Amino acid sequence: MEIEKINRQYLETLSNPQLISLGDELGIDIPEDLNRNFIIAELLEAVLEYEEDNDIEEIVTSEEDAPVHDETEKLPDSYNETTITALLRNPAWVYVYWDIKAADLTRLSEDLSYRSMCLRVSFWENEDDANPVESFDVQVGDNDRQQYVLLTPGKNFVRIDLVALYHGHDDENLAITPKIALPKGAVELNGALPGRDVEFPKLVELSGMKELLTLHYENHRQLFS
């Protein structure tokens, strides 16, 4: 049966068993005791949906394999923008990736006072504070574009700056991330480093926290470096 020929006039000429059989062909489960008018309405709706789905694309019945494109689209190495983004991997590590536009790279390479590039990791007590409470630098190469950074525990907010370092004059912030709120852990655990005797509340000690920290250090000691 060609579905394009199915209309109300045609359906009215069919018996109820024939309507139900047609519904089976269209993949519609129609109860045998359903009112005839409802059966016809269901069939017309199914025909309408079929026509909408096949309005643009024609059904392919060929058994030949679909063509496969050998070429795969590759993302560009650079979008020619100077920008930096930081994503928290977990409370201990942040993943940082950045891009530098060609004009900035050329300017830096031609500046005789240019020394190197770094990621400046700064921590803030409050999001609207003007000055950080602590900062440290992570050296990166001019061709680097990503880096994992280990965070200092017990801090509230972090910001990562892509910084150009110079001989004889101030550093230059090429790009900065927004301040990121850091997840807060238990105060007792912030100082729980290997070799340091930490006094835990009795209830926490009974939970096996010390053994858990030892196990964590043995399997993830890079977090403590």
Side-chain angles (χ1 to χ4, degrees), residues 208-221 224:
M209 180 57 69
K210 286 188 177 181
E211 291 78 7
L212 181 61
L213 286 173
T214 301
L215 181 65
H216 180 68
Y217 173 68
E218 290 174 349
N219 290 282
H220 308 282
R221 65 183 63 195
F224 297 87

Side-chain angles (χ1 to χ4, degrees), residues 125-136:
E125 185 70 23
N126 302 295
E127 187 174 10
D128 55 354
D129 288 349
N131 299 312
V133 295
E134 180 184 328
S135 296
F136 64 84

Side-chain angles (χ1 to χ4, degrees), residues 5 34 46 57 60 108 119 131 133-134 136-138 143 149-150 154 156 181 184-185 201 203 212 219-221 225:
K5 296 181 179 180
L34 188 63
E57 230 176 275
V60 177
L108 292 174
L119 300 178
N131 299 312
V133 295
E134 180 184 328
F136 64 84
D137 290 349
V138 177
N143 295 322
V149 176
L150 179 64
N156 293 338
K184 301 296 291 183
L203 188 60
L212 181 61
N219 290 282
H220 308 282
R221 65 183 63 195
S225 60

Side-chain angles (χ1 to χ4, degrees), residues 33-102:
D33 58 348
L34 188 63
N35 182 279
R36 177 181 176 84
N37 290 332
F38 285 114
I39 296 176
I40 293 175
E42 289 288 335
L43 292 172
L44 290 174
E45 184 176 348
V47 171
L48 179 61
E49 291 179 0
Y50 175 87
E51 291 175 345
E52 289 177 349
D53 292 340
N54 294 272
D55 186 34
I56 299 176
E57 230 176 275
E58 189 177 320
I59 297 178
V60 177
T61 58
S62 172
E63 296 181 358
E64 297 179 1
D65 293 336
V68 178
H69 297 287
D70 294 332
E71 297 183 1
T72 56
E73 293 186 5
K74 182 182 177 182
L75 293 175
D77 294 330
S78 173
Y79 288 95
N80 202 30
E81 294 181 353
T82 300
T83 181
I84 185 170
T85 303
L87 300 173
L88 281 180
R89 179 172 181 240
N90 53 42
W93 290 94
V94 61
Y95 174 66
V96 187
Y97 62 94
W98 61 94
D99 193 11
I100 307 174
K101 62 184 177 182

